[in-house]
Amino acid sequence: MTGAEQQEAAARRIVAIPARFPAPRMWWAMFLLALGLLALFLVSVAVLFVRGPGVWGNNIPVAWGFPISNYIWWLGIGHAGTLISAMLLLVGQQWRNSLNRFAEAMTLFAVMCAGLYPILHLGRPWRFYWMAPYPSTMGVWPQFKSPLTWDFFAVLTYLIVSVLFWYIGILPDLAAARDRAKARRWQIFFGLGALGWRGSAQHWHRWQQSYRLTAAIAVPLVVSVHSEISLLMAAGPVPGWVSTVFPPYFVLGAAFSGFAVVSMLTVWLRAMLRLETLVTPRHLDMLGILLLATGLMTAYGYLAELFTAAWAGGREAETMWDRFVGPYAWSYWGAVILNFAPLQALWWKRVRVAPVALFLIGLSVTIGMWLERYMLLVSSLYRDWLESSVGLFHPSFWDWSLFAGTLGLFLTCFLLFIRFLPVISAFEVREAALEDAHG
């Protein structure tokens, strides 16, 4: 069997995965674990609504704690899917075809988990729409000069564009699954999602236009969303945050953490669904290169922070020194070590193409980037301008339970996605195989 024939056979198997799932026992074990964490999320939210935000560890001077640090962490994870799919689509890199579908789905679920935190953090979450410029007879308008209002627009726009980009991309595969399904329930399920797709020349022409247009809109949003989030901190007079390097630093850090999670998901799905013919060592190698490149750029941001603090002196230098040896030094050095020490192994190709090694490095970076978000927030806030305004932040049980619950929400949505929808873009894989076969 030639390479093109192997790709064609693999594409047909992708479309058949929802109806004939290859690893039902492993899926059920992970799904039950995810449901347990999701139940913890529901309990944590119920306790929050009944007792209020006082159940968290947030207090003056650390009024921002787990909710905002976890919000930034989740939103950063959601950036890699758009970068892998949209940017590589625009530059014509076909190796994205085996990764883009589940990377885009990861983006949707991560942004959904991120968007819940600011709403829950309000204290009165049922009033979240006050940030939107809806017609108000009382004249209660949002403060358009506030980065919090920018945040509302940026995240909502990013989520809408990400949903459109993912759904437009999956339309042809939903139609293929509809046509190949044997059971009536699968025909109805996929038929409703396919929106009457027949694969005509006009359909393909409109699809190409809308897919590339949405990709062109999505790529700048990756930069704008996390740049705006950095302004939540950089626009204020808090030592450790007043830095012009924050917007690019946050964007690169978001891509870094996102590529780490994509690497883990790639290794996991490749093993569970037996996708070795589609997710080849070359894909692992490219992910390792992207992870290494964004990691080195993030390391430059760390060095830029050191230079800024040393140059400014005063409270900036004191805050940086406090991160080295203060009560939250464990979070700073944990972020430095976990983010950049294992990463150096990716200079060697044999490490990049080793699934277990790539998974472990991705896990290390994911934890390290969480520590970085925590460090940036808490180490700058726990000492206010007055010597009397000093208070350490201690996360409560409900802080941890809500965070674990969002992990369960993410896993539940992602597991349902890989169970009922094509996890890889089969039609793009088939198209690439035909192009290779005909030169």
Side-chain angles (χ1 to χ4, degrees), residues 175-243:
R178 173 201 63 198
D179 297 338
R180 295 176 182 273
K182 303 298 182 183
R184 183 61 178 169
R185 65 179 184 278
W186 287 109
Q187 292 174 351
I188 295 174
F189 174 74
F190 290 122
L192 291 175
L195 299 179
W197 177 277
R198 299 187 307 275
S200 65
Q202 185 179 13
H203 283 185
W204 280 111
H205 177 66
R206 297 301 185 193
W207 180 88
Q208 287 282 355
Q209 287 181 326
S210 57
Y211 197 42
R212 291 185 176 275
L213 178 61
T214 312
I217 296 173
V219 171
L221 282 175
V222 173
V223 179
S224 64
V225 169
H226 236 66
S227 297
E228 175 275 324
I229 290 175
S230 72
L231 294 177
L232 290 173
M233 293 184 276
V238 179
W241 291 358
V242 186
S243 175

Side-chain angles (χ1 to χ4, degrees), residues 244-269:
T244 55
V245 79
F246 259 39
Y249 176 34
F250 268 56
V251 172
L252 294 171
F256 185 37
S257 60
F259 284 132
V261 176
V262 170
S263 300
M264 290 194 295
L265 293 177
T266 301
V267 172
W268 167 49
L269 293 177

Side-chain angles (χ1 to χ4, degrees), residues 43-323:
V43 171
S44 302
V45 172
V47 170
L48 173 67
F49 285 177
V50 172
R51 298 176 57 188
V55 299
W56 291 336
N58 297 0
N59 207 337
I60 302 300
V62 186
W64 284 4
F66 262 35
I68 303 302
S69 65
N70 290 333
Y71 161 71
I72 299 173
W73 183 75
W74 274 118
L75 201 59
I77 288 175
H79 277 19
T82 304
L83 282 175
I84 284 180
S85 187
M87 186 174 68
L88 296 180
L89 170 68
L90 296 176
V91 298
Q93 295 295 316
Q94 291 192 351
W95 64 268
R96 64 178 280 280
N97 298 339
S98 296
L99 307 176
N100 65 323
R101 179 65 51 73
F102 63 83
E104 292 167 16
M106 180 204 73
T107 291
L108 299 183
F109 306 140
V111 173
M112 181 176 65
C113 292
L116 291 173
Y117 268 109
I119 295 176
L120 297 175
H121 187 248
L122 291 175
R124 292 186 291 172
W126 49 90
R127 304 293 190 187
F128 76 94
Y129 61 89
W130 282 8
M131 292 184 291
Y134 65 95
S136 174
T137 56
M138 301 292 292
V140 182
W141 295 95
Q143 174 54 269
F144 291 104
K145 296 180 182 180
S146 169
L148 294 173
T149 303
W150 309 344
D151 207 21
F152 179 83
F153 288 109
V155 175
L156 184 61
T157 304
Y158 185 61
L159 179 60
I160 292 173
V161 173
S162 297
V163 170
L164 290 175
F165 186 61
W166 172 81
Y167 188 65
I168 292 171
I170 204 174
L171 266 177
D173 281 348
L174 292 177
R178 173 201 63 198
D179 297 338
R180 295 176 182 273
K182 303 298 182 183
R184 183 61 178 169
R185 65 179 184 278
W186 287 109
Q187 292 174 351
I188 295 174
F189 174 74
F190 290 122
L192 291 175
L195 299 179
W197 177 277
R198 299 187 307 275
S200 65
Q202 185 179 13
H203 283 185
W204 280 111
H205 177 66
R206 297 301 185 193
W207 180 88
Q208 287 282 355
Q209 287 181 326
S210 57
Y211 197 42
R212 291 185 176 275
L213 178 61
T214 312
I217 296 173
V219 171
L221 282 175
V222 173
V223 179
S224 64
V225 169
H226 236 66
S227 297
E228 175 275 324
I229 290 175
S230 72
L231 294 177
L232 290 173
M233 293 184 276
V238 179
W241 291 358
V242 186
S243 175
T244 55
V245 79
F246 259 39
Y249 176 34
F250 268 56
V251 172
L252 294 171
F256 185 37
S257 60
F259 284 132
V261 176
V262 170
S263 300
M264 290 194 295
L265 293 177
T266 301
V267 172
W268 167 49
L269 293 177
R270 183 176 186 262
M272 184 175 72
L273 302 180
R274 297 189 289 273
L275 300 173
E276 290 81 1
T277 57
L278 287 171
V279 184
T280 63
R282 178 172 181 263
H283 293 94
L284 302 181
D285 185 32
M286 296 302 296
L287 283 175
I289 292 173
L290 289 173
L291 189 59
L292 177 62
T294 52
L296 295 176
M297 295 175 190
T298 305
Y300 175 82
Y302 275 65
L303 296 176
E305 272 196 304
L306 291 175
F307 175 80
T308 302
W311 182 268
R315 285 295 302 272
E316 290 290 329
E318 290 177 11
T319 300
M320 184 56 66
W321 180 252
D322 190 54
R323 290 175 180 174

Side-chain angles (χ1 to χ4, degrees), residues 256 302 334-343 364-366 368-369 372:
F256 185 37
Y302 275 65
V336 170
I337 293 171
L338 291 176
N339 281 334
F340 307 121
L343 187 73
S364 175
V365 170
T366 303
M369 291 305 294
E372 182 204 283

